[in-house]
Amino acid sequence: MFTGAVLVVAALTTGLVAGVFLLYAHTIMPGLGRTDDRTFVGAFQAIDRSIVNPWFLLCFFGALILTGVAGALHLEESGRGRLPWIVAAFALYLIVMIITMAVNMPLNDAIKAAGDPDRIADLAEVRRAFSEARWRTWNLVRVVLGTTAFGLLLVALALHGGHD
């Protein structure tokens, strides 16, 4: 029962994070993209400060940790049919984390470091330096990989329910 519960929570946290990235892809970034420079910079800063909270961080890091634990729990012979699905999900989600830390977070940090939009002399330059197209492209990669990882964990869950 514990093994199944860990797999469920791994899938749940992975799905929630993939959903957050999807929301950015189809709602937040397109909406911000239609705004003026001041609104874009200020709103993005506020959103990024808000997302760094215990709930998101628990899901973001918990997804990888729990998927790894689920994989370890499936090393015994009876769980080997589910193991490839879990390992693949772990690998894809690890790539999501690497992209987040190597691309999206540095861009987020740079736009926050620009300071209060009321005190920025050249908001257009801050927005240009942020590189919306780069952020959005790599976020779309996170959506695809995160959603695929979630799907792979669902397959592992289905196999777990059927006991292979």
Side-chain angles (χ1 to χ4, degrees), residues 4-153:
V6 170
L7 189 53
V8 165
V9 180
L12 179 64
T13 53
T14 301
L16 288 170
V17 173
V20 168
F21 296 150
L22 179 63
L23 182 65
Y24 268 91
H26 73 75
T27 303
I28 294 171
M29 294 308 287
L32 288 177
R34 293 185 197 100
T35 64
D36 61 81
D37 297 335
R38 185 187 187 296
T39 302
F40 180 90
V41 171
F44 191 92
Q45 288 176 340
I47 291 167
D48 192 63
R49 285 187 184 102
S50 294
I51 200 166
V52 181
N53 67 69
W55 291 110
F56 178 74
L57 294 175
L58 183 67
C59 289
F60 182 72
F61 291 107
L64 186 71
I65 293 165
L66 291 165
T67 302
V69 171
L73 292 171
H74 284 84
L75 288 172
E76 79 281 349
E77 192 63 37
S78 65
R80 291 279 168 98
R82 297 178 291 277
L83 189 58
W85 301 97
I86 297 168
V87 169
F90 181 89
L92 292 178
Y93 193 81
L94 179 60
I95 295 168
V96 166
M97 289 188 75
I98 291 167
I99 290 168
T100 300
M101 290 187 230
V103 179
N104 298 90
M105 283 178 54
L107 293 173
N108 297 0
D109 291 344
I111 199 169
K112 287 188 296 190
D116 183 343
D118 291 334
R119 295 191 172 106
I120 297 172
D122 191 351
L123 286 161
E125 174 56 25
V126 170
R127 185 174 185 172
R128 187 203 57 72
F130 173 74
S131 185
E132 289 173 67
R134 182 169 189 238
W135 196 100
R136 289 175 76 166
T137 298
W138 283 104
N139 184 62
L140 189 56
V141 174
R142 296 188 304 175
V143 169
V144 171
L145 296 177
T147 303
T148 303
F150 175 58
L152 293 169
L153 290 171

